Amino acid sequence: MLTCDDYRLPRSLKSALEAWSKAPEGSRLVAGATDTLPWARQGRAGDIVGDVHVPLLVDVTEVSALDSYRLQDDGRIRLGANLVFQQFLEDENLARYLPHMPPCALWFADDQIRRQATIAGNIVNASPAADGIPPLVALNAEVEIASLHDQEVVHRNLPLVEFVTGPGRTQLQPGEIVTAVTCDTALGYGGAFEKVGHRRSLVISIVCTSCCLKPSQDHKVFDDVRLALGGVGPVPMRLDDVETFLRGQTISPQVIAAASEIPLDRVASRTRREYRRDVIRGFVDRSIRDALARCGISLPPTHRPA
Amino acid sequence: MNELQIEFTLNGRRIKRLVKPYWRLLDLLREELHFTGTKEGCGAGECGTCSVFVDGALIKSCLMPVAKIAGTEIQTVEGLARRDAPSLLQRAFHKTGASQCGYCIPGMVMAATAALRANAEADRDEIKERLGGNICRCTGYQKIIDAVELARDVINGAMPEAALEEEASDSFIGADVRRIDAPGKVTGALRYAGDMTLPDMLQMQVLRSTRAHARILSIDTSAAAALPGVEGVITCDDVPGKDGFGVFVHDQPVMARGKVRYVGEAIAAVAAEDLETAKEAVRRIVVEYEDLPAVFDPEEALAAGAPVLHDYAPDNLVKHIPIHKGNVDDGFGLADIIVENSYTTQQVEHAYLEPEAGLAYVDADGVVTILAPDQNITHHRHMLSDILALPINRIRLIMSPVGGGFGGKEDMIYQGMLALMAMKTLRPVRLVFTREESITVSAKRHPARINYKMGLRRDGRIVATEIRAVCDGGAYGFSTEGVMRKMAILGPGPYDIPNVKVDTYGVYTNNTPSGAFRTFGAMQSQFATESHLDLCAEKLGMDPFDLRKINAMRAGSTTHTQQSLERASLLQAFDAAIAASSWEAGPPTVRGSNRTDLGGEGTRRSCRLDSRLRVEAGKPDGTRVRGRGMAGSWYGIARTAAMDRAGAWVELDDGGTAKVITGVTEIGEGILTVLAQVAAEELGLTPADITLGDNDTARAPEAAHAGATRQTYMIANAVALAARDARSKFDREMAEHWGVAQDRIKAANGTIWVQGSNLRMSMAEAVALCKTQRGYVPVGSASYTAHHTGLDPVTGAGKPWQAYVFGCQVAEVEVDTVTGEVQVLGIWAAHDVGRAVNPRGVEGQIEGAVVQGLGQALMEEYKTVDGHSSTDSFAKYILPTSLDVPQINSIIIEDPDPLSPLGAKGIGEPALVPTVPAIINAIYDAVGIRINSLPATPEKVLEALRAKRKRMSSSEAA
Ligand SMILES: Cc1cc2nc3c(=O)[nH]c(=O)nc-3n(C[C@H](O)[C@H](O)[C@H](O)COP(=O)(O)OP(=O)(O)OC[C@H]3O[C@@H](n4cnc5c(N)ncnc54)[C@H](O)[C@@H]3O)c2cc1C
Ligand code: FES
Ligand code: FES
C-alpha cells in the first residue's frame, strides 16, 4: 500500500501549486487516486511487503478551479481537470456537446471508480490503454497546465497528442499541475466507442476506438468525422487520414469498408500486432456505423465471411 | 508523521478521529471503527467488497484516501438497515438465495442499493451494468440479479411484500428453504477471520522467496528481532516436530528449510504489535541465496538431467496413475476411424473473494488453537500434531466462516506458521494475506497437456480410448496425487468403452504449486474427451448427442476401473438437455448460421453496454455469429478410492429445539441449510429450531473436509442417521409415556402425536416431559460410511465410489468476428443430484460452477514468467463479471442413490465439468474453429479465424 508522512488537500490552485512545487523529492500529486493506489502494491511498485513510501501526497480534488466545465467563447469546451468520467453519463448537457463520451464512460472501469477517476488523472497517467484519451484527441484537445512563476500562477497549453509522449510519459514538468482540457464540441454529432478486452466490465482495453461524426442534413454525405484509436501503440492515435478520406464522401457501406482498410499499418504495439490490426479494421467500420445509427442512419451489413 | 484530525458522519453518527495520513477509508472503517461489513477483497479497486456510500455516491473505499472524507456522510452496509430489520433488498437477497460464501455480499448489496437508488425501474441489463464493479466468485450472479429484480418489483408495488417470505411446503426436504446463514451475510454482520480481533493480539507478516529455486545459505533475523514492537520471529528452526505437510506426501516444510522451490514460498515470519512494525521487520530480514537451476515445464522436468526439486523424487514425478482396461491396441485394430488430437488447459486461480486469514492462540489449558477459513480442519490437525510435536488433542482447529474455497483452502498453507508464532509469543496472533500474496502463494488448478487417441466404429461405437496427461504440480505435492487419480478415473468420460488406457502424471516444477480445485482434475480430462467427441461426431456425420448416447454408460455398464454400475442417469440428462434447449439435431459441422434453435427463451440478449444510452447502437452488421455446443459429464461422490466417513451428534433440546453437532465445513455451498432441513424433517421440527454447532476439532465429531462433493452425501446422511437415533430414543420414551406402540408416534413441524388418537403435544412440552418425568435426555449419534476401495496400482481396477452423478450441458455462444470475443448467452445444465434437498441451493451450485467454467473457457489464466507470477492481481487475473455471464437454465434430475438414506448425492463440483467443452464446441459450431488450448481469449479466437481463412483461400487456390 501507499504510505506517506503527510497528506494535503489544498483548496486553491495557488496553494496547491505552492505545496506541489515545494514538495520533497518523491512526493506525488493525486486526484481520484484510482491509478496511484493500485500502483503502490506488491508486484508493481511495492517493495517486498508491497509498500511504497512517499513523503507527501498533494490531493488536488478540493481545488475548485479544477472542477466542472464550461463552454468557451471560441466554441470549444473547457473540461476541468477534476471532471470525473461518471459525469459524462449523468450530465445530459455535457453529453450533448460530447456525444461520444457517454459510450466511452460506460466502458470505463465501473460505476464506482468512474466517480473517482478524473480526466486529468487518466491523461497524466498516460497509459497506452487509457480510454479517456482517444475521444479527446479526436476533438483537438489541448491540455492546460499551471505552474508558479515568481509567486504568480501562469498557464501554458499543449495539444494533447504532444502532451503524451509515451507509456506513462508526458511533458508535465516538476511543479506543474494540469488544470483543464479544452476541446472542440460536437453538438449534433453521433458518437460511438468500441472497446475490447478480456471481459465486459472492469477491463483494460486491448484496442479501443472513439468516433464522432456529423452527416449532412440530407443524410447523404459525411460532413465531419473524428476518429482515434487507443491501445495500438505507445501513444493514442488520431486517424486523420481516415477522417480526410471520409469528409464529403457519400455515406455507404462500401465507403466505410474502404475507410476501415486505411489505418491497418498504424499498429505500433510490439505485442499482439496481427490481432490489433484485425480489430481496428472492424472497429473503424463498426464505430462509424454505430455513430451513424445514433444520427438515425442505418446501413445494410457488409458481410465478411467468418 | 502528520496525523490528520477528521470529522465525518458514519451511518448518521458524527465521528471525530485522529487518522494516519495514508489510511484509506477502508482502513478507518475496518481497523479503527471495526465496521467489518466492508471487506478488503483486493485492495486495488477490482472486486467491490469494499463499496460504501460517500455523500450518497457509491465508491470503492480501498481507493479512497481517508483525508478525502472529512466533512462527508458515509454509509456502510451496517447503515442500510438495522440488522434485525433488514431492507427490502437484503430480504430479497435472502429470498432468492443470492448469497453463498457471503464475502462479496455486503458490497453487492451496496451496489444493488445504489442501482435501485439511481433508477428504481432499472431493467435486468441495466442492473447488470450497475453491478459490473462487484465480483462474485460463488453464485454466477444469476440469483443476485434475480434478487435485485425482485426488490425492484416489491419497491415499485409490482409484487407484494409477501413475495419476500418463504413459500410454505409440506416437507422441508425438497423445499426451497431460505439459507439459514443468509441474514448474517446480507447485513454484513458475519465476521470472517480477517474481521476478528482478540485482546492483546499481534499482527503477523511473512517473508517470501523472490527466487524460484535456490539454496538458502543463511537467514539473518537479528535486525528484525531487535526492532521495538517485534514480539516474535520464526523460521524453520522453530519447528519442534517433524516438519512436513501435504495431502499424500509430506514434502513441504512450514517455512523453507535449506532451499526454496518457488517464488512466494514462506521463509520466515514476524509478529509485532502493529502491522507497520511487522512489515518493517520483514524488510530487515536478510536472506542469502545461492540460485539453483530451475525447471518450469513439466515435460522438461521429466527429462533426464533436469534439475531435481526433492531428493526423494529424483525423476520429479509426484505420481503416475494408470487406468488400463482391455487392450487398446486390439481396440484400435477394430476401429473404422482413429482420431488423434492434443489439448492443453491452463493454470487457474481459485480467486475466492476472502483472502487467506487466520488467528491463533494458546489457550489457558495450553491448547494451541487456530481459527481459520480452513476447508479441512481434520487433516490439518493431524499434520500439525506431527509438526508441533504435540498430542493431537493439544491442538484445536476451529473453522471460521469461509469466504469461498473451491478447494483452495483444503490444502494447508499458513496454519503451521500461525501455530508456531502463537506458541513462541504466547499471545494471540493474526495473519491476513493481501490479494497479491494469496494469488502468488496459494495452489492452483493443475494445467494439463493431454494427448488423445480414440478409435471408433462407423456406427459411432468407441472401441478404444488412449489418454496421456502430463500435469504441472508445481513445487510441492499438495493434492496432486489425488488430482491425478480423479483425472484418470473419470477421464474417458461416462461412456462404456471396452479398451481404455489412461496415464496421468503429476510433475514437480518450480512453478506456483497446483492443488485441489473444484472437480479435482476431472474437468481437465473431460474437457479433452468432450472436445474430442465433437471432433469425432463431425467426422462421422453424427449428431453429438447421438454419438454419446450410443456409447453412454447405462445400468450394468462397466466403468474404466472395471466397476459394474447399478444405476446411471446419463441418458436422462441428455434427453433433459435436448428438450430444455430445443436442440436442433445434426452433426457438428459449423451449423451455427443455419440453426433455427438460436436466440430462444433460455438465452440473454447480447451485451452491448448500452442499457443507459438513450440511443441504440447500430443494427447487426453480420459480424457477430452464433452457435451451439454440448457436452456430457460424470462425477463420483465423496472421497476417491478410499473409505469415506462422517459423524454427527444430535440432541433434542429444550423448547422443542435441537442441537446438531458435526464437523461440517460450510464454504458457501449451503450445507448448513441442508443439515437444518434434514434434521428438522427427521426430528419433527422446523429448520428454525435447529442449532448447528461449530466446526471445531475439540467440540464436534469428525466430518472432515469440504471437497469431493461429499457434504450432502456424507454429512447430511450422518445427520439424518443421528437424528433418527435421537428420535427413536425419544419416541420410545414418549410411547411408554402414552402407553402406545412406538411406531404410532409421529412428529412434524414442532408437534408430536400418536397416530389415530387425539394424543398430541408440542415438541417443547414433549422434550420437557421426557426430561423431567422420564429422566431421559434424548441424544443420538451416528456415523455414515461410503464403502470405497483403492485402485489396483497396475490396472487401476477398483471401486472408487459407490455413487455417481451424470450431467449434460448445452451452450449457446455469440462470437464477435471483429474482436474474437465470445459471449455465452445461454447454458442449459441438466444434472442428476440423487435428490435435491434444497432445489434452489442446487441451482445456486450449478450457476456458480457454470460461471467458473466460463471463466476457465474464455478468460482466466494464471501465468508465470520464470516462476514469477505475472497475473498477481485481479487487474491481471481476469474473472467473469455480471456482464459476462449467460442465462443459466438448470434442470435438476433426481435418480436417488439406494445406499444414501436420503437418496441425495451431490452437485458442488460436477456442474463445472461440462461447461468448458460445451462452450468450446459451441464456438466451433459458430465459426468453425477448434480451440484446443484454453482459454479461448479474443486473441486466440481471432488468430484461429485468420488461420482458417488462410487455409480456405489456399485450398480454393489449389
Ligand atoms: C479497477 C480499475 C479499473 C480501471 N478501468 C479503467 C478503464 O476502463 N479505462 C481507463 O482508461 N482507465 C481505467 N482505470 C485507470 C484509472 O481509473 C484512470 O486512469 C483514472 O482516470 C485516473 O484518474 P485519477 O484521478 O483517479 O488518477 P490519480 O491516481 O489520482 O492520478 C493518476 C496520475 O495523474 C496525476 N494527476 C492527477 N491529476 C493531476 C493534475 N490535475 N495535474 C497533474 N497531474 C495529475 C497523478 O499525479 C498521477 O500520476 C482503472 C483503474 C482501476 C483501479
Ligand atoms: S477491496 Fe476495494 S475493490 Fe476490492
Ligand atoms: S457469495 Fe459472492 S463471492 Fe461468495
Side-chain angles (χ1 to χ4, degrees):
Chain A
M1 88 186 250
L2 185 62
T3 60
C4 61
D5 299 322
D6 199 3
Y7 194 104
R8 292 220 209 117
L9 270 157
R11 288 176 183 272
S12 73
L13 179 57
K14 188 156 181 196
S15 55
L17 286 166
E18 272 164 7
W20 183 226
S21 57
K22 288 196 210 114
E25 169 106 35
S27 297
R28 290 185 78 93
L29 193 77
V30 292
T34 63
D35 271 318
T36 308
L37 291 186
W39 158 81
R41 290 181 68 85
Q42 254 153 342
R44 279 165 265 191
D47 64 9
I48 187 122
V49 292
D51 284 356
V52 171
H53 185 80
V54 300
L56 172 67
L57 287 172
V58 179
D59 183 325
V60 296
T61 48
E62 302 270 294
V63 177
S64 51
L66 271 53
D67 282 350
S68 73
Y69 66 92
R70 72 181 148 76
L71 284 172
Q72 300 186 150
D73 296 341
D74 61 3
R76 285 171 54 99
I77 191 165
R78 182 181 183 281
L79 307 170
N82 285 345
L83 199 81
V84 295
F85 281 86
Q86 188 71 2
Q87 223 166 318
F88 294 113
L89 277 181
E90 292 180 353
D91 186 327
E92 288 190 27
N93 194 39
L94 193 54
R96 281 196 318 132
Y97 287 102
L98 303 172
H100 59 327
M101 286 314 288
C104 166
L106 280 170
W107 272 107
F108 193 103
D110 65 33
D111 273 74
Q112 300 168 56
I113 288 169
R114 285 201 291 269
R115 293 183 195 283
Q116 296 296 111
T118 65
I119 53 165
N122 197 239
I123 289 171
V124 177
N125 192 56
S127 159
D131 291 320
I133 302 182
L136 294 171
V137 163
L139 294 183
N140 296 317
E142 289 199 348
V143 183
E144 181 190 288
I145 302 160
S147 57
L148 276 187
H149 270 275
D150 303 329
Q151 295 309 302
E152 288 300 310
V153 179
V154 296
H155 290 279
R156 65 180 180 121
N157 285 294
L158 264 182
L160 177 54
V161 276
E162 288 171 29
F163 179 77
V164 178
T165 54
R169 287 199 309 272
T170 68
Q171 300 238 31
L172 200 69
Q173 299 303 311
E176 287 187 326
I177 293 177
V178 173
T179 48
V181 179
T182 57
C183 67
D184 300 344
T185 53
L187 199 62
Y189 283 55
F193 189 82
E194 303 293 334
K195 169 168 170 177
V196 65
H198 281 190
R199 60 180 171 188
R200 306 221 123 218
S201 181
L202 285 175
V203 59
I204 301 167
S205 283
I206 304 172
V207 181
C208 67
T209 305
S210 170
C211 173
C212 68
L213 55 81
K214 190 174 180 182
S216 59
Q217 288 227 309
D218 60 3
H219 283 189
K220 293 248 159 65
V221 296
F222 291 103
D223 267 2
D224 189 16
V225 181
R226 305 295 187 90
L227 273 163
L229 304 176
V232 295
V235 292
M237 202 174 285
R238 172 96 180 257
L239 296 180
D240 359 37
D241 42 2
V242 186
E243 294 177 3
T244 316
F245 171 82
L246 285 173
R247 243 171 246 131
Q249 284 262 22
T250 314
I251 296 172
S252 77
Q254 294 72 24
V255 167
I256 299 171
S260 51
E261 296 293 329
I262 299 173
L264 298 192
D265 35 301
R266 300 200 32 185
V267 176
S269 309
R270 271 173 295 175
T271 56
R272 303 188 270 206
R273 241 182 127 114
E274 286 274 301
Y275 174 76
R276 290 182 156 109
R277 283 169 50 101
D278 277 5
V279 174
I280 287 172
R281 182 195 291 119
F283 266 10
V284 169
D285 187 296
R286 193 178 276 175
S287 64
I288 294 172
R289 284 164 177 278
D290 273 7
L292 284 170
R294 286 172 181 147
C295 301
I297 303 171
S298 127
L299 294 174
T302 26
H303 189 71
R304 230 179 277 128
Chain B
M1 194 194 323
N2 188 14
E3 299 209 336
L4 312 171
Q5 171 90 36
I6 58 164
E7 278 188 61
F8 60 101
T9 307
L10 175 60
N11 299 331
R13 290 182 48 205
R14 299 284 308 155
I15 293 190
K16 196 172 175 178
R17 273 287 193 293
L18 203 58
V19 298
K20 301 241 165 69
Y22 54 83
W23 273 0
R24 307 158 300 169
L25 171 55
L26 181 64
D27 301 313
L28 172 67
L29 291 172
R30 289 179 56 81
E31 303 305 322
E32 177 74 18
L33 304 169
H34 302 287
F35 276 69
T36 52
T38 308
K39 314 277 180 210
E40 180 161 5
C42 74
E46 298 281 350
C47 77
T49 56
C50 66
S51 303
V52 302
F53 288 101
V54 176
D55 284 340
L58 195 71
I59 56 94
K60 289 179 164 172
S61 62
C62 70
L63 294 185
M64 172 71 73
V66 73
K68 286 179 187 281
I69 64 138
T72 64
E73 277 190 38
I74 312 285
Q75 190 182 30
T76 66
V77 68
E78 292 89 350
L80 287 183
R82 276 178 58 92
R83 68 163 125 127
D84 51 5
S87 71
L88 289 178
L89 188 69
Q90 287 169 321
R91 288 166 62 198
F93 268 62
H94 187 190
K95 173 64 191 282
T96 64
S99 63
Q100 289 189 21
C101 84
Y103 204 78
C104 73
I105 293 298
M108 207 56 97
V109 165
M110 296 298 278
T113 303
L116 293 184
R117 280 182 188 170
N119 182 4
E121 326 252 79
D123 65 8
R124 204 171 169 90
D125 283 346
E126 182 175 340
I127 291 167
K128 286 189 196 174
E129 281 187 22
R130 291 187 184 271
L131 297 186
N134 290 61
I135 304 285
C136 175
R137 188 56 158 167
C138 298
T139 64
Y141 302 98
Q142 186 149 305
K143 301 226 177 301
I144 291 175
I145 298 156
D146 291 346
V148 187
E149 285 200 294
L150 173 61
R152 175 200 63 203
D153 292 346
V154 172
I155 291 167
N156 296 342
M159 295 266 267
E161 206 175 317
L164 301 172
E165 301 302 323
E166 192 156 282
E167 295 111 26
S169 73
D170 299 339
S171 161
F172 298 114
I173 298 204
D176 286 332
V177 171
R178 291 181 304 179
R179 283 183 71 113
I180 61 173
D181 54 359
K185 291 175 174 172
V186 301
T187 57
L190 183 69
R191 287 188 192 252
Y192 298 81
D195 302 332
M196 298 179 192
T197 51
L198 289 169
D200 210 24
M201 180 179 89
L202 298 171
Q203 300 282 357
M204 200 165 136
Q205 287 284 290
V206 180
L207 174 73
R208 300 185 173 282
S209 169
T210 54
R211 313 297 173 93
H213 201 192
R215 213 182 306 285
I216 296 179
L217 301 179
S218 66
I219 308 173
D220 182 356
T221 59
S222 55
L227 195 68
V230 170
E231 290 293 306
V233 182
I234 53 171
T235 65
C236 65
D237 292 338
D238 293 280
V239 176
K242 204 159 151 268
D243 196 1
F245 66 94
V247 179
F248 298 91
V249 43
H250 292 183
D251 59 354
Q252 184 167 13
V254 172
M255 282 163 285
R257 184 174 289 277
K259 68 175 189 171
V260 289
R261 297 179 176 87
Y262 76 102
V263 177
E265 180 166 0
I267 295 175
V270 174
E273 300 290 349
D274 56 48
L275 199 59
E276 284 88 345
T277 311
K279 285 180 167 186
E280 184 51 34
V282 166
R283 287 188 195 104
R284 295 187 184 198
I285 298 174
V286 184
V287 181
E288 223 186 319
Y289 298 101
E290 178 192 301
D291 281 318
L292 296 169
V295 59
F296 303 111
D297 181 286
E299 313 260 9
E300 285 171 22
L302 285 177
V308 174
L309 275 88
H310 297 268
D311 293 342
Y312 95 92
D315 50 2
N316 288 326
L317 188 64
V318 186
K319 193 72 184 178
H320 163 214
I321 301 287
I323 307 281
H324 297 178
K325 172 185 162 194
N327 182 320
V328 282
D329 292 331
D330 294 351
F332 289 126
L334 295 172
D336 293 319
I337 63 164
I338 291 178
V339 181
E340 290 186 74
N341 203 7
S342 303
Y343 303 90
T344 59
T345 67
Q346 75 279 41
Q347 212 166 11
V348 174
E349 157 66 16
H350 301 83
Y352 25 74
L353 268 275
E354 179 208 23
E356 290 77 357
L359 290 86
Y361 56 89
V362 182
D363 76 9
D365 300 320
V367 175
V368 178
T369 307
I370 301 155
L371 188 72
D374 190 322
Q375 265 181 268
N376 195 349
I377 61 173
T378 312
H379 180 230
H380 297 174
R381 184 176 71 145
H382 272 281
M383 294 191 290
L384 287 173
S385 169
D386 287 340
I387 291 167
L388 304 177
L390 285 172
I392 201 152
N393 68 345
R394 306 282 283 183
I395 299 164
R396 177 179 177 196
L397 273 93
I398 307 169
M399 186 194 77
S400 58
V402 183
F406 319 115
K409 291 171 181 169
E410 189 175 318
D411 288 299
M412 191 163 106
I413 305 178
Y414 54 93
Q415 289 83 345
M417 285 188 284
L418 270 172
L420 286 172
M421 191 62 92
M423 289 165 71
K424 181 139 188 177
T425 59
L426 291 178
R427 282 176 64 178
V429 292
R430 184 175 86 177
L431 172 65
V432 182
F433 281 21
T434 60
R435 173 56 58 190
E436 290 83 352
E437 199 174 10
S438 173
I439 294 181
T440 47
V441 316
S442 68
K444 306 282 172 278
R445 185 188 290 292
H446 287 76
R449 280 185 210 152
I450 301 172
N451 294 321
Y452 217 106
K453 183 173 175 188
M454 189 182 270
L456 303 97
R457 306 294 301 258
R458 199 149 312 284
D459 64 2
R461 286 243 34 128
I462 307 171
V463 285
T465 288
E466 186 173 346
I467 305 172
R468 180 177 192 272
V470 176
C471 303
D472 188 349
Y476 290 100
F478 283 90
S479 296
T480 292
E481 176 177 334
V483 170
M484 292 307 107
R485 191 173 292 117
K486 199 173 257 182
M487 183 183 285
I489 298 172
L490 295 170
Y495 308 107
D496 196 340
I497 306 167
N499 305 292
V500 171
K501 182 173 189 300
V502 188
D503 293 279
T504 57
Y505 301 85
V507 185
Y508 284 120
T509 68
N510 294 107
N511 289 324
T512 316
S514 304
F517 197 151
R518 201 174 195 171
T519 79
F520 224 61
M523 173 269 139
Q524 291 92 316
S525 51
Q526 292 188 61
F527 154 65
T529 297
E530 296 297 321
S531 300
H532 208 76
L533 282 172
D534 211 56
L535 203 61
C536 296
E538 184 184 20
K539 291 214 191 306
L540 293 167
M542 288 176 78
D543 176 81
F545 276 102
D546 288 344
L547 173 61
R548 287 167 175 84
K549 283 184 181 180
I550 289 172
N551 294 290
M553 284 192 189
R554 298 163 161 79
S557 293
T558 306
T559 66
H560 317 306
T561 63
Q562 302 174 42
Q563 174 185 356
S564 173
L565 284 183
E566 274 154 45
R567 315 172 72 91
S569 53
L570 182 61
L571 291 171
Q572 270 170 276
F574 284 149
D575 289 337
I578 291 172
S581 67
S582 309
W583 176 267
E584 186 180 280
T589 47
V590 200
R591 291 188 295 137
S593 44
N594 304 317
R595 296 186 84 112
T596 59
D597 52 359
L598 299 172
E601 240 173 53
T603 57
R604 68 159 163 91
R605 209 174 74 94
S606 167
C607 168
R608 297 279 191 276
L609 271 107
D610 57 2
S611 76
R612 281 177 275 176
L613 292 179
R614 275 163 292 273
V615 277
E616 289 243 337
K619 291 238 156 51
D621 59 1
T623 52
R624 297 180 175 100
V625 247
R626 294 190 180 194
R628 279 180 159 203
M630 60 75 59
S633 66
W634 67 327
Y635 207 74
I637 299 298
R639 241 185 266 252
T640 308
M643 281 281 203
D644 204 353
R645 69 277 165 184
W649 301 330
V650 170
E651 178 193 350
L652 270 161
D653 200 357
D654 292 342
T657 65
K659 277 187 263 195
V660 174
I661 314 291
T662 175
V664 61
T665 306
E666 168 72 63
I667 59 170
E669 76 281 48
I671 185 64
L672 296 183
T673 309
V674 165
L675 296 189
Q677 288 176 257
V678 167
E681 187 78 15
E682 297 288 346
L683 295 170
L685 304 174
T686 70
D689 299 323
I690 309 299
T691 307
L692 284 158
D694 289 341
N695 185 14
D696 179 335
T697 57
R699 303 286 184 273
E702 169 179 329
H705 65 301
T709 308
R710 61 186 289 285
Q711 297 280 287
T712 300
Y713 193 69
M714 298 305 302
I715 304 170
N717 277 328
V719 166
L721 294 176
R724 285 176 197 176
D725 186 36
R727 249 308 281 290
S728 83
K729 290 168 180 165
F730 182 65
D731 286 3
R732 181 191 69 210
E733 297 300 317
M734 293 308 292
E736 278 183 35
H737 167 76
W738 271 319
V740 299
Q742 188 175 334
D743 61 6
R744 287 178 62 202
I745 307 278
K746 305 286 164 205
N749 275 307
T751 303
I752 185 163
W753 69 92
V754 178
Q755 204 174 29
S757 81
N758 55 8
L759 295 171
R760 68 169 51 223
M761 63 174 77
S762 72
M763 283 294 276
E765 291 168 304
V767 170
L769 183 150
C770 180
K771 287 190 179 178
T772 56
Q773 293 185 31
R774 307 229 24 109
Y776 189 83
V777 179
V779 288
S781 66
S783 172
Y784 181 69
T785 314
H787 297 276
H788 304 156
T789 67
L791 304 185
D792 181 277
V794 177
T795 63
K799 180 189 164 193
W801 300 287
Q802 63 187 30
Y804 288 83
V805 291
F806 298 85
C808 172
Q809 291 182 14
V810 171
E812 183 167 325
V813 302
E814 178 185 86
V815 182
D816 185 333
T817 57
V818 164
T819 60
E821 192 189 9
V822 177
Q823 288 195 45
V824 183
L825 305 178
I827 292 274
W828 293 263
H831 290 274
D832 170 27
V833 300
R835 186 165 174 211
V837 177
N838 189 320
R840 193 186 284 128
V842 170
E843 284 171 19
Q845 286 302 298
I846 293 175
E847 291 162 11
V850 162
V851 169
Q852 284 188 356
L854 177 147
Q856 171 137 26
L858 301 179
M859 57 187 82
E860 293 180 36
E861 185 163 22
Y862 177 79
K863 290 193 220 170
T864 49
V865 179
D866 294 340
H868 291 260
S869 171
S870 60
T871 50
D872 60 353
S873 68
F874 284 165
K876 298 200 187 115
Y877 189 84
I878 302 298
L879 298 163
T881 68
S882 54
L883 294 179
D884 302 298
V885 300
Q887 179 171 329
I888 300 161
N889 310 281
S890 299
I891 306 112
I892 299 175
I893 296 166
E894 296 186 298
D895 178 35
D897 174 42
L899 296 173
S900 154
L902 291 167
K905 291 187 275 195
I907 189 63
E909 296 167 281
L912 195 148
V913 177
T915 308
V916 181
I919 291 172
I920 297 296
N921 292 340
I923 295 173
Y924 184 75
D925 187 51
V927 291
I929 55 164
R930 294 216 177 263
I931 302 293
N932 298 319
S933 141
L934 298 178
T937 57
E939 294 92 328
K940 226 180 257 176
V941 167
L942 225 51
E943 191 187 314
L945 279 173
R946 213 180 296 124
K948 182 191 154 197
R949 269 198 293 268
K950 236 180 234 156
R951 269 200 316 274
M952 281 171 55
S953 58
S954 64
S955 70
E956 268 164 37

